[in-house]
Amino acid sequence: MNGSSFAIKDKAAFQEKVLPALFKPSKFESFIRKLCRWGFAKRRTADCGDFQSQSVWFYHPNFQKGNFVLCRHVECRLNPKLGSTSIASSRTSSSNVGNHANI
């Protein structure tokens, strides 16, 4: 693509080699849920011009190759089904903001 999405071409290898080094638990389904919580959407392979049907593509409007400023607008939602409620916005409205680590 043009830097507006990313692909996982081999789910089994990704789960076996990448996830254990970065996440616990290291299950692919858990990783997908985390991406959804951060606002990423799964893209259909046909939309991506993919040559491998096993590839899984993800997109977020504020996650673009080389645009690090835009990444600041990617926020974790407390509950993906609730829409835009995010951890970052709930922290700023809290009276004890200093007790929270920055994400």
Side-chain angles (χ1 to χ4, degrees):
M1 292 282 311
N2 58 6
S4 65
S5 61
F6 69 94
I8 299 170
K9 294 188 177 193
D10 185 340
K11 292 191 284 188
F14 184 80
Q15 181 170 317
E16 180 183 325
K17 297 176 182 177
V18 177
L19 289 180
L22 301 173
F23 299 101
K24 294 190 188 222
S26 58
K27 295 180 181 174
F28 190 76
E29 291 78 19
S30 297
F31 177 72
I32 300 298
R33 282 191 298 274
K34 287 180 187 195
L35 284 176
C36 290
R37 193 168 50 232
W38 282 88
F40 284 82
K42 204 175 193 183
R43 295 187 78 163
R44 293 182 312 180
T45 341
D47 294 341
C48 303
D50 186 31
F51 57 90
Q52 292 182 6
S53 61
Q54 277 80 345
S55 295
V56 182
W57 289 83
F58 296 94
Y59 165 82
H60 191 290
N62 295 322
F63 185 82
Q64 295 182 3
K65 184 177 180 179
N67 193 339
F68 302 108
V69 175
L70 252 168
C71 287
R72 293 180 182 152
H73 301 289
V74 177
E75 294 183 341
C76 182
R77 295 182 242 161
L78 294 173
N79 185 342
K81 294 178 182 176
L82 295 178
S84 64
T85 304
S86 70
I87 290 174
S89 62
S90 67
R91 285 185 179 159
T92 56
S93 65
S94 175
S95 61
N96 57 357
V97 172
N99 294 333
H100 298 286
N102 291 329
I103 294 179

